[in-house]
Amino acid sequence: MTALAGLYAALATPFTEDDAIDFPSLERLLEVIMQQPLDGIYVGGSTGESLLQSTGEREAILNFVARRCGGKRRLVGHVGAISTRESQRLAAVCAAAGYDAISAIPPIYFPYQPREIIGYYRDIVAAAQGVPLIVYNIPAMSGVTFAMDSLRELLETPGIIGLKQTSLDMYQTEQIRRRFPQTLILNGYDEVFLAGISTGADGGVGSTFNIMGWRYRALWQALRAGRQDEARGLQAQCNSVIDVLVRASVFPALKFILRDMGIIASARCRAPFAPVAAAFHEPLGDIARLLTREAREQGIHI
Ligand code: MN9
């Protein structure tokens, strides 16, 4: 399903100091994303802290992004929620707003049986009015590891077009590519973007695409052109940023950088996330300066 192949920024959700959604900052972030060589935006996923938001807030963000970016970039709306009902409601919102695809984590917290998880996805597809669904496979956070049999059942379900594969298990990515040659695979961990593409992914969704999307485009182009060493060098550059983010806590650190780059007003994430520890302020500030310089060299206005 190559129509949706490409690079997607996993959109962050800026908050105000009093914990409301900061729409002016969101607008500015979308402008910066749209100046980058990216194909689309993945709205309301992990990076968007969607599971820390009310359904109403999630709907407002999905609609806001569709109004600003619909028709200009491909849009994937994440609708996964604790209940099927809530996911269905969000799927209907995405359909009405013109999203190109929806996506959903598996149902979390309760230990569901495979048939219940498959049922959840089928019920979401039924509410999505023909908008195709991308399964969000993220075993480290969802606690759900799909067996190949469940994956087969899911990927053979009409309306399900592929996977957001957020896993370091490249063997599984290769197996999925081999067994389901037509399915869309979007790599989910930016630190293994090169490995994911090399193993057969059709693109990627990344939190760090918000702040250095051009590096991933260059990496992908280098790989396609057979310039392996250049591609590896670019992944190394990305990973020297990601190493710091992972140590500092990815989403608060990403927002610290976005704030320091002057794109969003506050670095705040929603509790229980805490602000970045003081020890990371200096290295994150250095990264923000470096990426600001690079972005400007790319002709991006920030
Ligand atoms: O959507 C993101 N996934 C999660 C993609 O955060 C779970 C990634 O971009 C990671 O934030 C990134 C750092 O680990 O690869």
Side-chain angles (χ1 to χ4, degrees), residues 209-259:
F209 296 11
N210 286 277
I211 53 171
M212 51 184 183
W214 57 88
R215 289 186 178 181
Y216 293 95
R217 175 64 68 193
L219 193 169
W220 204 10
Q221 281 168 346
L223 201 59
R224 274 192 177 153
R227 301 192 303 271
Q228 184 72 30
D229 288 350
E230 186 184 331
R232 206 180 300 131
L234 283 157
Q235 183 72 67
Q237 277 182 33
C238 293
N239 287 4
S240 62
V241 171
I242 295 173
D243 287 350
V244 182
L245 291 183
V246 168
R247 280 206 310 274
S249 179
V250 174
F251 308 131
L254 176 72
K255 284 185 170 175
F256 189 100
I257 294 171
L258 285 167
R259 199 248 348 250

Side-chain angles (χ1 to χ4, degrees), residues 34-65:
M34 298 228 290
Q35 291 179 65
Q36 298 189 49
L38 298 169
D39 302 292
I41 306 174
Y42 187 97
V43 185
S46 312
T47 307
E49 299 172 66
S50 60
L51 294 177
L52 302 176
Q53 294 158 18
S54 68
T55 311
E57 287 177 316
R58 294 180 66 176
E59 287 178 17
I61 292 170
L62 287 165
N63 283 322
F64 185 86
V65 177

Side-chain angles (χ1 to χ4, degrees), residues 14-158:
F15 293 108
T16 62
E17 283 305 326
D18 54 7
D19 207 25
I21 295 164
D22 177 357
F23 285 103
S25 287
L26 183 57
E27 170 131 44
R28 173 115 179 87
L29 175 56
L30 290 169
E31 278 164 15
V32 172
I33 289 172
M34 298 228 290
Q35 291 179 65
Q36 298 189 49
L38 298 169
D39 302 292
I41 306 174
Y42 187 97
V43 185
S46 312
T47 307
E49 299 172 66
S50 60
L51 294 177
L52 302 176
Q53 294 158 18
S54 68
T55 311
E57 287 177 316
R58 294 180 66 176
E59 287 178 17
I61 292 170
L62 287 165
N63 283 322
F64 185 86
V65 177
R67 278 197 300 276
R68 297 296 178 293
C69 309
K72 298 181 195 152
R73 289 291 181 281
R74 277 184 240 141
L75 298 180
V76 180
H78 176 256
V79 304
I82 195 101
S83 72
T84 297
R85 227 172 120 105
E86 190 176 344
S87 304
Q88 287 180 312
R89 183 165 157 186
L90 292 167
V93 168
C94 288
Y99 273 71
D100 298 278
I102 56 170
S103 183
I105 52 166
I108 55 169
Y109 186 69
F110 296 108
Y112 299 106
Q113 296 179 351
R115 66 189 173 89
E116 292 170 317
I117 297 174
I118 290 164
Y120 157 91
Y121 280 111
R122 291 199 169 143
D123 290 343
I124 297 174
V125 168
Q129 299 160 33
V131 180
L133 183 139
I134 299 166
V135 174
Y136 187 170
N137 182 28
I138 178 162
M141 289 203 204
S142 69
V144 175
T145 302
F146 290 109
M148 267 300 162
D149 282 352
S150 301
L151 270 185
R152 175 175 301 284
E153 249 189 279
L154 282 174
L155 295 174
E156 286 175 351
T157 298

